[in-house]
Amino acid sequence: MIEFAISDPSAWMVLSAESIAAVVIVAGLLQIVFYFVLLLYAGAALGTRPPVPRSATLWRRYSEQAPAISVLAPAFNEELTIVESTRSLLALQYPDFEVIVINDGSKDGTLARLIAEFGLEEVDRFVDRSVQHAHIRGFYASPRLPRLLVVDKENGGKADALNAGINCSRTALFCAIDADSILETDALLRVVRPFIDEPDLTIAAGGTIRIANGCKVDSGRITDIKLPRNFLALVQIVEYLRAFLMARVGLGKMQALTVISGAFGLFRRRHVIEVGGYSHGTVGEDMELVLKLHRLMRERKRDYRIEFIAEPVCWTECPDTLSVLGRQRARWQRGALECFVKHRNMLFNPRYGRIGMVGFGHILLVDVLGPLLEVLGYVLVPLLWALGLLALPWLLAFLAVTFMLGVFLSIATLVLEEIQLRRFPKARELAVLAVIAVVENFGYRQLSNLWRLQGWWQFARKQQSWGTMTRKGFSTS
Amino acid sequence: MTTLRALWEVSLALCLLAVLALLVLLVARVLAARFSGRNSAARRRLLPLLLDGDPATLEPLGRAELQVAADLTIELAEMTRGSERDALLARAASLGVVDLLVKRMRSRSPQTRLFAVEALSLFDDAREKVVGALDDRNPDVRLGAALALARYREAPAALTIVNKLNVREEENSLLLVSLMIDLVETNSEAVAGLLFEKDLSNRVKVAAMDALAERGGEYAPLLAYMARDSEGEPDLQPRIYRALGKTGHPIGAEAIFEGLGSASWTVRAAAAEAVGRARLAAAADRLSALLEDPNYWVRYRASEALLRIGPTGIKALREASDSEDPVVRTAAVKMLAEGRAR
């Protein structure tokens, strides 16, 4: 039979077409099954999480034992927002913290504004030299604000600035954030929980990033949660819900988390120094740090935990134009590929336990193969069906894994959000997001995959630039 | 082909199921919004009763209003103290809040049980019911109950509590320190006794030591003994040195000086910190030697301690600031500069 099939050109073409479709469908199905498992784990994690009290109760319970934290806020050319951001950080509700703003060689008046607004003076500071970074030009502080230290350094990028902050910090824990994001006032009290519950095991914990576009901001605080009107921003709200509420909560429950967002993560300083801090020369420095931590602990056969906590929230502004969003997505893709290639020996390596099997399996399936196979499917499956080389069930199966199950996962994430967290104040907002969860599959999803292919191309050409992220600034009430 | 079609059909079914579930939740949200209007009205009515009502004339509330009253009581209790809080709780008890909280302690949700335990512990007459929560199946509820009882000096013996907390899995939370600090207030001997329990983990013992250190020099000899005895345990020993430093008692000096020469940098750094806290001026030379330690934290803690122990330490820092060794010189110069800025 096989000899007959291969000798018959039309049968050979059908067999080839079916093989291509089968690869695309199986890869898509594997992704969906993986996400489905993550959703179940996320549901279990949220359903069994420790009680989540109000801020006042948290303070009463944790304030005596909460370990000191250094909040590291790298800033580059942020003179318009830096004063308000720093004020908002200084107003965080946490018993013992310092804010270290790292001016990463800004070309605008970022440093001058900080000095003028907070009455800072140049001081000296005895700092560590454990991790590498560009030259520090000076330190600025004020006796009136003992919690604030401004570090002025030569430009070296975000990873370099964070390394400088790590060297300057004097606490066991540091929290890496983006200076232009907004931490909720009780975010530190909430994200520190695993470090209090399991102080000997926890080495890192990440919190949720939410999109602030459309929300009202007053004095560096979110005062009114609203949905944006911009379609791209709305789609990203659904994407972030999937990424944080489903993927990261699920992977955290599995103890297979491979990334803690650079916009909000709490780390044990000692372990980060052991892995050499943030890596230079990569655009995925946040992911790489977590992978390096896993590698260190696994190779030294030490027990550890890297957690994801859903309740603490950091608000960030997302891109709302195609060009900026495209650049961001291509950069994220490039970062994931760089990390994957750099640590490829961890893939399916039993030495690295569930990180090698589950964490790296996830990266391979979703970040490495995902965009390639999905775009291949968009081009070939409908074409082969139109040419009569594929029967209708093949096309339906492709549509099932790319569209229908995608819609199912997005809606199921919204259901999980509504049951467990209820962070959208109005029912109407949830309904709007449900519509977006369906609509995004027709057009946006394909475009997103093209951006990721662009990231693949940039990675193949070893392109290193970050691109420009144009921010409009939060709307104020 | 059947499999491919089945995939399509299953995907359609799952989509419909998810949409249906979301619709149900949306309807529930709309209905809940109506109830929240009623709740707001109930809060407005209950607030003056709780703040200013006469307990003798207050009648037990119906179920819906009682839920609101319980939540409101907890919120207000966190904002009030002393006689004001006592009066608030008396009014809440007259309205039937205690009975509702007792019912909530039987809830399936650990969150609800924990809130109930913490709220019940506010009421003097209801604390015996909280004791039962020490056997709860959820470790957070057990710890919450222990903390609440200890805060009001009504906790069982330290060892009994620890054993209850360690049922099923060992309790590792740093909140054990808060618990021990409260337990020390009622029976410090019982907490000190935990240090001699062979079956207890280091985590519990360290929490007990931290709490005992809060009593000042009373337990310093015991901590000094434990510091020496824990040599070779780099995770445990630094905590003991910190506790010893916290006591500020000179009897711990010899043990702390030994720690300055430990092979583990975490122990050296903790011992140097303890020198600064206890202001042991006799350690100035040893601290000066640590300014060339290969680890930053040891150099930092040593230079900081030199600054804290006063004139002898500052003199040592000044001498070190002329050192030919750049590592020693930097540590001394920078710390002197920081000292001037403070």
Side-chain angles (χ1 to χ4, degrees), chain A residues 189-205:
Chain A
L189 265 179
R190 292 186 187 278
V191 78
V192 82
R193 196 190 74 212
F195 290 90
I196 290 180
D197 290 345
E198 288 291 352
D200 296 333
L201 293 180
T202 311
I203 61 169

Side-chain angles (χ1 to χ4, degrees), chain A residues 19-88:
Chain A
S19 303
I20 291 168
V23 168
V24 170
I25 290 166
V26 168
L29 202 57
L30 279 174
Q31 275 194 49
I32 294 290
V33 169
F34 191 78
Y35 279 136
F36 191 73
V37 173
L38 282 181
L39 191 67
L40 293 178
Y41 266 85
L46 291 173
T48 58
R49 72 196 193 278
V52 187
R54 287 188 300 268
S55 300
T57 319
L58 270 178
W59 180 271
R60 176 170 50 73
R61 196 179 294 167
Y62 286 168
S63 59
E64 279 179 22
Q65 302 308 328
I69 293 176
S70 296
V71 180
L72 310 184
F76 177 69
N77 289 349
E78 285 173 32
E79 67 173 354
L80 292 178
T81 55
I82 193 67
V83 170
E84 197 170 7
S85 305
T86 306
R87 279 221 177 87
S88 144

Side-chain angles (χ1 to χ4, degrees), chain A residues 273-302:
Chain A
I273 283 181
E274 268 191 86
V275 299
Y278 287 89
S279 301
H280 292 78
T282 172
V283 289
E285 79 287 336
D286 46 3
M287 185 184 209
E288 227 243 312
L289 177 65
V290 177
L291 294 178
K292 287 198 295 186
L293 288 171
H294 279 300
R295 182 186 277 278
L296 171 85
M297 302 308 277
R298 293 274 172 182
E299 288 179 355
R300 303 219 172 148
K301 295 187 171 31
R302 292 194 227 160

Side-chain angles (χ1 to χ4, degrees), chain A residues 205-227:
Chain A
T208 301
I209 310 294
R210 288 186 68 182
I211 288 174
N213 299 44
C215 297
K216 285 253 170 82
V217 180
D218 187 16
S219 306
R221 294 270 162 271
I222 300 286
T223 53
D224 191 7
I225 300 173
K226 283 185 173 174
L227 289 184

Side-chain angles (χ1 to χ4, degrees), chain A residues 412-423:
Chain A
T413 309
L414 285 175
V415 169
L416 189 62
E417 148 73 34
E418 177 63 5
I419 292 173
Q420 290 290 342
L421 300 172
R422 273 205 178 192
R423 286 183 292 206

